[in-house]
Amino acid sequence: MKKLRVGFLLDDFSPSRQVNELIEFVETNEVFDNPVLITGYKNNKKELAFKKVIAKFGQSPSKLFGSISRAVLMKVISRIELKNAKKRFPGYRANHQIQKLCEFNVVSVEGEWSKSGLFLEMTNEDISMIESCKLDCIIKCGSGILRGGLLDVTQFGVISFHHSDNRMNRIGPSGFWEVFNSEPSSGFIIQKLNQELDVGEVLVRGNLMTSDLWFTNHAHLLVKSNFFMMELLLDIAKNYKLPQSERVRLHENKLYKKVSSLFLIKYLLKVILPKIYGYLVNKLISPPIKRWSVAYGYHNHFSKSLCRYKEIKNPKGRFLADPFVIENGGETFIFVEDLFYEDNKGRISVIKLGGDKYEFLGVVLEEEFHLSFPFVFKEGEDYYMIPESCKNSDIRLYKSVDFPCKWEFEKQLMNNVDAADTMLFKKNNIWFMLTNICSADIGDHQSELHIFYSEDFRDDKWKPIKAGNPVIFDPLKGRNGGFFSHNGKLYRVNQVHGQAHYGKSFCVNEIETLSKEQYIEKEVLTVQPNFKESSISAHHFHANANVAVVDFARVERLKKALNS
């Protein structure tokens, strides 16, 4: 098989951790030829930048002052945020010398920068040298907006990251505007560049839940998009063609300007100072937490208002969430995540219903690791459960040996996988698994919905549907939050996240197509968390023919939650 020859366009030989990982990925994978490094063009820009500073000072000292003040403000923000970002994403903003540099083919180019220092074009001699390397594609990992012949010198062109959602924001800095504007979703694209600014061919698109701070949001986008660049390169190497690009889009949203000193000051006042104040207050008094609760109702064909559902009292020092309801022998049971604050670990507990009364039967499943989302189903005469076990890096099947209180581990359905909130459906004698996998293995389950199928739900070799995974890559649609059927139709519930707000609300979607080839759903309803007093979140709904269950959350002080 022909190996894919990949070139990397670099500012220098000490790129970011993500770029180093990309180069290492290509260098160590047998489907690729040894990577080619293209660099040298940045030297000319340094001279141009110095001349611009001198010219700016001569023409307008106020502009120079603005640049200096912006640099100072950036330094302040970096001192405040960088440690927090590095804690979650080690290696963020750390550049490293490329390993095995002497083993790679290096092409030194001159490049020509525009007077503004924004646009970069290769000289004819540069292009001839690059052509001689017989590359299949070039990955843009450096600065500048590319123009000219370089974009057409390889079969698959120049492929580039854009660490923002180009439908909303097409100017940097990456991850800033989404946090500044409290947007719930931050996006990235991977595109094949062309001569038109802002209208490259989008090959991959992904969206993530916006973080509460700029640097963390930016780091999240870098790490997640890097994984999907690797997947894209593997796909090109395997099929020797680019995937189908997105259809043409008309971008109606305004183009954000470069962040000025004024916006950085506003960011400090709007985002950072309130967090510092909250941190200091929480040092003095017990910190606030989000405490989940569950409620149930006899829904009468889903006509009963959620505000009339009966709330189940949380046990002392714990919270209940992710409820699933199931019947056995004419009795109704609710299985829930039962999280103990003392060790911050979830167990699975069960509640028995009896009219308007309920009986808390207690914990029925506990492991050394966290468990939640107890998806319970019946097949034949047996009951099975698939709780979330992402802390154990697997998807596990349990079987009831004495319903509802005794369960035994049956087998692993998937291993070495970062998956959450798994549900199974049987349709036309085929089992379908809907699960939220973090492809980058960083514990982010908010955006990606993956679907697999098998003829046997006990199988440990589930196959992805033909449409490819993730079938949904969006924090407003991706994460599972339950399901139910009504009038012969199946509905998937998905969580809707706000900015740094997990499980803010949920949507109900009618599943129109679920097959080995594709998945299509249509949103029919959005439920906001205003059906219970003081609730700020609601992220789960499930029902059988008679009973429905929902969860919701209120803010409490930790001290109160531990004692009530």
Side-chain angles (χ1 to χ4, degrees):
M1 184 180 78
K2 181 183 177 186
K3 293 187 175 184
L4 194 73
R5 283 184 61 81
V6 181
F8 291 89
L9 193 64
L10 306 168
D11 284 349
D12 52 47
F13 293 127
S14 296
S16 68
R17 175 173 176 167
Q18 284 70 41
V19 173
N20 269 288
E21 289 175 350
L22 274 178
I23 294 172
E24 182 181 2
F25 174 76
V26 169
E27 190 264 332
T28 57
N29 199 302
E30 61 182 11
V31 301
F32 303 108
D33 212 335
N34 226 27
V36 175
L37 310 183
I38 305 167
T39 191
Y41 58 87
K42 191 72 181 291
N43 295 329
N44 293 339
K45 190 176 183 182
K46 291 178 182 178
E47 297 178 11
L48 181 63
F50 180 74
K51 292 178 181 178
K52 282 181 66 179
V53 170
I54 299 300
K56 186 178 291 187
F57 180 73
Q59 295 171 5
S60 176
S62 62
K63 287 186 178 180
L64 181 61
F65 175 77
S67 298
I68 294 173
S69 61
R70 183 180 184 276
V72 171
L73 289 166
M74 284 291 298
K75 193 74 173 178
V76 171
I77 293 171
S78 179
R79 287 292 297 271
I80 295 171
E81 293 196 16
L82 189 56
K83 184 177 180 180
N84 181 71
K86 282 179 173 287
K87 185 177 180 180
R88 183 175 174 191
F89 300 101
Y92 174 62
R93 285 205 163 192
N95 289 23
H96 304 282
Q97 180 77 20
I98 295 173
Q99 301 297 314
K100 301 181 181 179
L101 185 59
C102 60
E103 299 178 14
F104 298 151
N105 182 11
V106 177
V107 179
S108 296
V109 296
E110 290 290 326
E112 293 180 347
W113 290 91
S114 65
K115 290 183 178 180
S116 66
L118 296 176
F119 298 95
L120 172 64
E121 190 167 342
M122 295 298 162
T123 66
N124 290 334
E125 184 179 347
D126 293 337
I127 293 202
S128 294
M129 286 192 294
I130 295 170
E131 278 183 327
S132 68
C133 296
K134 300 187 183 323
L135 298 173
D136 294 305
C137 65
I138 296 172
I139 310 302
K140 179 181 179 291
C141 301
S143 56
I145 300 170
L146 296 181
R147 283 182 172 175
L150 180 65
L151 298 177
D152 304 311
V153 79
T154 66
Q155 179 170 348
F156 302 124
V158 177
I159 299 173
S160 173
F161 293 103
H162 180 72
H163 293 111
S164 294
D165 188 335
N166 67 328
R167 298 167 298 187
M168 303 295 295
N169 175 17
R170 301 191 297 284
I171 278 190
S174 170
F176 173 84
W177 290 109
E178 296 89 342
V179 176
F180 184 82
N181 293 322
S182 302
E183 294 172 8
S185 173
S186 297
F188 71 86
I189 61 170
I190 300 174
Q191 60 184 336
K192 178 186 175 184
L193 299 177
N194 55 36
Q195 303 294 345
E196 296 293 327
L197 182 63
D198 293 329
V199 288
E201 299 175 36
V202 177
L203 306 175
V204 178
R205 178 183 296 281
N207 284 73
L208 317 171
M209 182 174 74
T210 301
S211 302
D212 57 346
L213 291 170
W214 169 18
F215 280 25
T216 304
N217 203 43
H218 181 224
H220 194 184
L221 290 167
L222 292 179
V223 172
K224 200 81 164 185
S225 61
N226 221 43
F227 174 86
F228 283 93
M229 177 66 87
M230 295 177 188
E231 290 291 291
L232 174 63
L233 290 174
L234 281 177
D235 183 70
I236 297 171
K238 177 182 177 182
N239 300 303
Y240 210 69
K241 65 178 182 179
L242 293 176
Q244 182 68 39
S245 62
E246 280 188 358
R247 67 185 188 276
V248 175
R249 290 181 179 270
L250 298 178
H251 301 292
E252 75 280 8
N253 291 293
K254 69 178 182 179
L255 192 67
Y256 286 117
K257 296 180 179 179
K258 185 178 179 181
V259 175
S260 65
S261 299
L262 178 61
F263 277 107
L264 292 178
I265 292 171
K266 287 181 178 179
Y267 177 80
L268 283 165
L269 295 174
K270 178 181 177 181
V271 177
I272 292 183
L273 285 185
K275 292 190 181 303
I276 294 174
Y277 173 77
Y279 173 79
L280 295 175
V281 169
N282 294 335
K283 281 286 187 179
L284 298 174
I285 60 177
S286 178
I289 60 166
K290 191 161 60 172
R291 191 178 192 185
W292 292 92
S293 300
V294 301
Y296 70 94
Y298 295 89
H299 57 73
N300 190 23
H301 304 289
F302 299 97
S303 63
K304 188 172 186 176
S305 172
L306 292 175
C307 68
R308 295 173 57 203
Y309 281 31
K310 184 178 180 66
E311 181 173 348
I312 295 173
K313 181 176 174 56
N314 280 322
K316 181 180 177 180
R318 293 142 72 176
F319 75 60
L320 307 179
D322 297 345
F324 284 93
V325 60
I326 195 164
E327 290 186 359
N328 175 278
E331 295 181 314
T332 302
F333 300 89
I334 302 173
F335 289 83
V336 295
E337 171 194 354
D338 187 353
L339 185 132
F340 288 57
Y341 285 115
E342 62 182 3
D343 60 7
N344 198 36
K345 191 182 81 171
R347 289 86 163 158
I348 304 304
S349 290
V350 67
I351 299 152
K352 181 180 177 181
L353 299 187
D356 289 333
K357 297 183 178 181
Y358 63 85
E359 179 184 1
F360 192 84
L361 301 182
V363 175
V364 297
L365 182 60
E366 181 177 2
E367 296 283 9
E368 294 181 355
F369 43 86
H370 175 81
L371 296 175
S372 60
F373 202 83
F375 178 81
V376 181
F377 65 102
K378 184 179 181 181
E379 177 63 7
E381 297 301 315
D382 296 317
Y383 289 87
Y384 297 89
M385 183 195 301
I386 302 177
E388 177 195 308
S389 56
C390 66
K391 295 299 183 182
N392 199 50
S393 301
D394 64 359
I395 298 176
R396 303 164 67 86
L397 179 70
Y398 292 82
K399 183 178 179 180
S400 175
V401 293
D402 185 11
F403 190 90
C405 292
K406 190 173 181 181
W407 298 79
E408 290 184 353
F409 174 68
E410 182 88 348
K411 69 178 301 185
Q412 284 182 326
L413 303 184
M414 286 190 184
N415 195 16
N416 297 320
V417 63
D418 190 3
D421 297 359
T422 301
M423 305 189 298
L424 300 187
F425 303 117
K426 189 177 184 181
K427 184 179 181 183
N428 299 328
N429 293 318
I430 299 294
W431 286 90
F432 293 93
M433 175 189 288
L434 282 68
T435 187
N436 298 120
I437 291 176
C438 177
S439 299
D441 196 21
I442 56 173
D444 169 29
H445 306 110
Q446 322 308 358
S447 304
E448 299 178 53
L449 177 64
H450 293 240
I451 301 182
F452 304 86
Y453 70 90
S454 174
E455 293 182 358
D456 184 355
F457 71 90
R458 301 175 189 85
D459 199 354
D460 57 7
K461 293 180 174 59
W462 290 76
K463 300 175 183 177
I465 65 173
K466 188 175 180 180
N469 284 317
V471 295
I472 296 176
F473 199 163
D474 185 346
L476 307 183
K477 296 299 297 181
R479 183 150 182 172
N480 290 326
F483 80 98
F484 62 94
S485 59
H486 182 56
N487 292 336
K489 296 179 180 180
L490 188 61
Y491 296 86
R492 183 183 79 96
V493 178
N494 76 267
Q495 301 180 27
V496 179
H497 306 298
Q499 185 214 352
H501 187 157
Y502 165 72
K504 183 177 181 181
S505 58
F506 64 83
C507 289
V508 176
N509 309 279
E510 179 187 339
I511 298 178
E512 296 184 326
T513 302
L514 177 59
S515 69
K516 295 179 181 180
E517 285 72 39
Q518 64 178 337
Y519 176 78
I520 300 174
E521 66 180 21
K522 177 180 68 176
E523 182 179 325
V524 296
L525 180 66
T526 298
V527 177
Q528 299 296 335
N530 50 16
F531 51 87
K532 289 293 183 181
E533 184 180 358
S534 303
S535 62
I536 62 161
S537 304
H539 76 348
H540 188 101
F541 183 87
H542 180 246
N544 62 14
N546 301 304
V547 178
V549 285
V550 67
D551 71 5
F552 54 95
R554 302 181 177 100
V555 174
E556 286 187 11
R557 293 288 174 183
L558 178 58
K559 185 176 181 179
K560 178 182 177 182
L562 289 172
N563 293 285
S564 63

